[in-house]
Each structure stands twice: as C-alpha cells, then as structure tokens.
Amino acid sequence: MNTIFKPHDEWEPYIDIDQHGKLTLSNIEFTTTNLCNMRCSHCAVGYTLLTKELPAIPADEIIRKLDEVETLRTMSFTGGEPLLTKKGIKDNLLPLLKYAKSRGIKTQVNSNLTLPMSHYELVAPYLDVMHISHNWCDEKEFVETGFAMMEKTPSVEYRGNLYRNIFDNARELSKGGMFVSAETMLNRNTVPFMEKIHHEVANEMLCKRHEIHPMYASDFAESLETIGLDEYRKVINEILDYRNKDIWVLFGTLPFYPCSRDERDLALINRINNASNTTMRNDVDGRSRMNLNIFSGDISVTDFSDDGQAFGNIKNESLTQIYKRWLDSNISKSINCHCPAVKCLGANVIVKNMYYPETEFVSGSIK
C-alpha cells in the first residue's frame, strides 16, 4: 500500500495539543526592525514602518525572558525587512538566531529577498526557513505596487533590479541547500496569475515550499479586494490540478472546515488530505504564537488586538503570564474551537469576521 507523503510542519500549532494536551506558547514572532526598502500596497504592517531605527532592548535581556519559556520550539523574525542592514542583522537578529540554534529551536526569517547575497550569508548558518512573499504577476506590477506607498520612489531601473534579485537570490539560496518558502496571498490581483506564480516559485526560484494564504483586508491592504468563498474554493482546486508535485504546497489559514455543511468544502478538504506533499496548517496566530517588539518590549497577538493595544510588556511581566492573559481574554475564548477527531482548531478572528460572521464554531462537533 502506498503511503501519502506529508512533510512535517514545525509551525503547526496542533503539535502543542499532541505534546501538552492544550494550547501552549511555543512560537515567538519578533519584530526586529521598523525599516524596509519597499512600501508594498498589500503590506500588513505598513503604517508602523519608519525611516530611522529605534534603539532595541539588549538581546541578553530578551534571551532571559525566552529562557523562561520551556515550551518554545519555533521562532520567527519579521519587520519591516529584518535583513535590510548588516548592523541590524548583527545587533538584533544574529544573537536571537544563535540562541535558538543553541536550544534546538527552529527559526524562520521573513524577507522580501531583494538584498545583496552577503546579507543572507550572515544568517544562513543559523536559519531553518527563509520565508519570502511572491505576490507579483510580473515585473511591472512589482515596480508599481511594491513601492506604491513610498513618498519618493527609486528609479524604475533600480526597482526592476530588485525584482530580478528575488529570483536570483531564491535560486542561489535553494541550490545552496537553504529551505526557501514562498508565500502567495489570494486576492483579486493574484488569483488570475496563480498558475504563473506557482510555476515561478517551483521552477524558477527552486523553492522547496509554496504557501497559499488568504489576503487580509487590513493596514496598507485595507483597499485590496478579497475573494469570496466560492472563488477561493475554485482556486484551491485549480492549484491542486496544476501544482508541481515535487514542491510542498501548504495551505495556511484555509477558510474551510470539517464541520462545514457544504459538501464542496468537505470534498476539498478530503482532496487536500489525500494529496501527497500537500498540507493544511491550523492558524498559528492566537493559538501558539505571540509577537515581541524588540524596541518597545510590547507583546501582541498578531492580527488580534481589538483596539491596537499590546497585551503586555516583557519589561513588566513574563511571556507566559501575558500568554495566559490572552487565553483568558474574551476574544481568545470566542475563537478557541477544537475538534480532536480531525485535529482542527477552527477559524481565527479575521477569517471568522470576513467569511463566517454569523457562524458559531462548536468544539467537539466532529466525532
């Protein structure tokens, strides 16, 4: 009998349920810079970007807080562009990457991959996943959209070179053995070009994984048009038709659940489950992950603050204390849905509000 190959996803929050019997703080996402060389119209943190870096909390103080979290197994680094400056890499990023390596914690850096190769070589010995975004239908869109929110844009030639850097860097890093994972967000702009984008990710960039996620209408992306569930379902089925079976396809925050009464949803989930080298990820945000801003010390639950305020600060509390307060909050309880029979943790707040505003998800409804 043939066994369907399913890659192991270290960032899957259900691992915590299997290991600890409950939701657990196992992933910290760090905001390690507020600088970026781009201003993408779909950026999820665009309004927080600055032109001058703030002083960071010393790395040893942050590490002391991390030492208290025995369940920590993954760490992610975002910005801004975390690899923009070599000073930022050496001062803010490398100490945390080296610490993670010493503890056997898996790491991921989110980069636009437009920078000189020397920036990536600094982190390569300590990094498990180079996570990039590829939401571009062509170079022209990159040149226009990738700098749409910038007051003074570089020359078209310069921007075009950055676009080509993405392909060259991804290919070189992949050939060198790095695990490069490209994420594409489904929205009205990307859907018509998904087959082309997937071909580029798999065959030109030589990425080992292609992640497919929904586009959230927030921050700079608040004006971008999201797609409805019918179109979403159709696109996923099409991706499964033409995908390169040699590359891992990961569907993150997939807005279809085993408790659905729509047979089309169940058929899609079944198709994904029966496809080799293809996985679904329960949403990490609000389950096993919190974000730590290394400049302010603020802790937030990514995408889930009602009023934009932090849940706490590491200068005053431990990470586990802040995480417990999140789990006890009304907003957390409103999405804390769990069906062990299918290892599903339900919808996050944004997906629920966007696609299922009137639906009540009930734990244990799938036996």
Side-chain angles (χ1 to χ4, degrees):
M1 188 172 103
N2 292 330
T3 301
I4 298 171
F5 173 65
K6 294 287 185 182
H8 180 64
D9 182 6
E10 293 283 355
W11 273 258
E12 168 56 58
Y14 207 92
I15 295 173
D16 300 325
I17 304 290
D18 287 336
Q19 292 184 349
H20 307 290
K22 61 181 180 179
L23 293 175
T24 307
L25 179 58
S26 62
N27 175 247
I28 303 293
E29 178 184 72
F30 299 85
T31 295
T32 60
T33 183
N34 292 307
L35 306 179
C36 189
N37 61 330
M38 298 176 65
R39 289 295 187 275
C40 303
S41 64
H42 57 259
C43 183
V45 295
Y47 292 124
T48 68
L49 297 178
L50 303 174
T51 55
K52 183 178 180 180
E53 196 74 285
L54 301 172
I57 298 171
D60 58 347
E61 293 184 24
I62 295 174
I63 287 171
R64 281 198 294 271
K65 293 293 184 175
L66 298 177
D67 278 337
E68 299 171 355
V69 187
E70 297 179 359
T71 54
L72 194 59
R73 57 182 172 80
T74 55
M75 286 166 41
S76 306
F77 301 90
T78 188
E81 168 52 62
L83 302 172
L84 183 63
T85 69
K86 290 187 176 180
K87 183 179 187 304
I89 294 172
K90 292 174 181 177
D91 293 349
N92 300 335
L93 192 55
L94 278 178
L96 295 173
L97 282 171
K98 291 177 179 179
Y99 169 78
K101 192 79 169 180
S102 72
R103 277 188 61 176
I105 295 167
K106 300 297 182 182
T107 54
Q108 170 179 300
V109 168
N110 302 330
S111 174
N112 60 35
L113 216 62
T114 63
L115 303 169
M117 183 56 65
S118 59
H119 290 233
Y120 305 108
E121 290 171 345
L122 289 173
V123 300
Y126 312 100
L127 186 62
D128 293 293
V129 179
M130 178 65 72
H131 181 273
I132 69 174
S133 293
H134 186 39
N135 298 291
W136 317 111
C137 64
D138 54 27
E139 182 175 324
K140 181 176 182 293
E141 188 198 19
F142 174 88
V143 165
E144 295 174 354
T145 306
F147 302 83
M149 310 303 286
M150 187 175 286
E151 290 184 11
K152 186 177 181 180
T153 57
S155 69
V156 171
E157 180 182 5
Y158 175 83
R159 286 177 272 162
N161 286 335
L162 293 185
Y163 178 77
R164 291 183 286 276
N165 281 352
I166 298 172
F167 286 76
D168 294 341
N169 287 338
R171 189 161 45 245
E172 187 171 344
L173 291 171
S174 295
K175 286 181 176 179
M178 181 174 285
F179 190 100
V180 182
S181 181
E183 172 188 297
T184 303
M185 295 178 289
L186 296 179
N187 59 49
R188 186 67 60 224
N189 293 349
T190 58
V191 164
F193 301 95
M194 279 305 302
E195 186 169 4
K196 176 180 181 290
I197 289 172
H198 180 71
H199 172 83
E200 291 171 345
V201 167
N203 303 317
E204 296 184 35
M205 297 180 180
L206 305 181
C207 296
K208 293 182 173 65
R209 184 171 66 195
H210 192 185
E211 300 182 30
I212 312 295
H213 294 265
M215 167 63 76
Y216 295 147
S218 62
D219 211 277
F220 277 1
E222 61 194 0
S223 62
L224 289 181
E225 187 179 355
T226 57
I227 60 174
L229 288 176
D230 286 343
E231 188 172 2
Y232 206 120
R233 194 185 300 109
K234 178 176 181 290
V235 172
I236 298 300
N237 272 302
E238 290 172 350
I239 292 171
L240 291 170
D241 287 338
Y242 59 65
R243 72 184 177 100
N244 183 326
K245 293 181 175 58
D246 293 329
I247 182 176
W248 175 4
V249 174
L250 186 156
F251 296 108
T253 323
L254 189 73
F256 303 106
Y257 306 96
C259 57
S260 172
R261 296 182 180 180
D262 191 322
E263 291 297 328
R264 296 172 299 173
D265 295 350
L266 303 181
L268 179 59
I269 292 170
N270 186 62
R271 187 178 181 192
I272 294 171
N273 285 333
N274 286 290
S276 63
N277 215 10
T278 304
T279 61
M280 294 179 290
R281 176 188 288 172
N282 282 291
D283 190 46
V284 182
D285 292 327
R287 275 31 180 226
S288 59
R289 176 162 73 192
M290 296 193 304
N291 176 280
L292 193 166
N293 186 306
I294 70 165
F295 305 102
S296 65
D298 283 344
I299 299 293
S300 59
V301 182
T302 311
D303 297 331
F304 290 109
S305 53
D306 274 336
D307 52 9
Q309 299 300 309
F311 261 83
N313 193 291
I314 60 167
K315 296 175 184 177
N316 309 316
E317 294 179 278
S318 70
L319 287 160
T320 51
Q321 286 174 321
I322 299 169
Y323 180 70
K324 183 179 185 303
R325 185 160 64 252
W326 156 252
L327 290 182
D328 291 339
S329 69
N330 289 332
I331 190 170
S332 174
K333 290 177 180 178
S334 73
I335 58 165
N336 196 347
C337 183
H338 176 207
C339 286
V342 286
K343 295 192 173 185
C344 179
L345 297 175
N348 69 28
V349 168
I350 292 180
V351 170
K352 186 179 187 305
N353 290 343
M354 188 160 58
Y355 291 122
Y356 300 100
E358 305 301 324
T359 300
E360 181 180 359
F361 289 89
V362 180
S363 293
S365 57
I366 302 296
K367 304 298 182 184

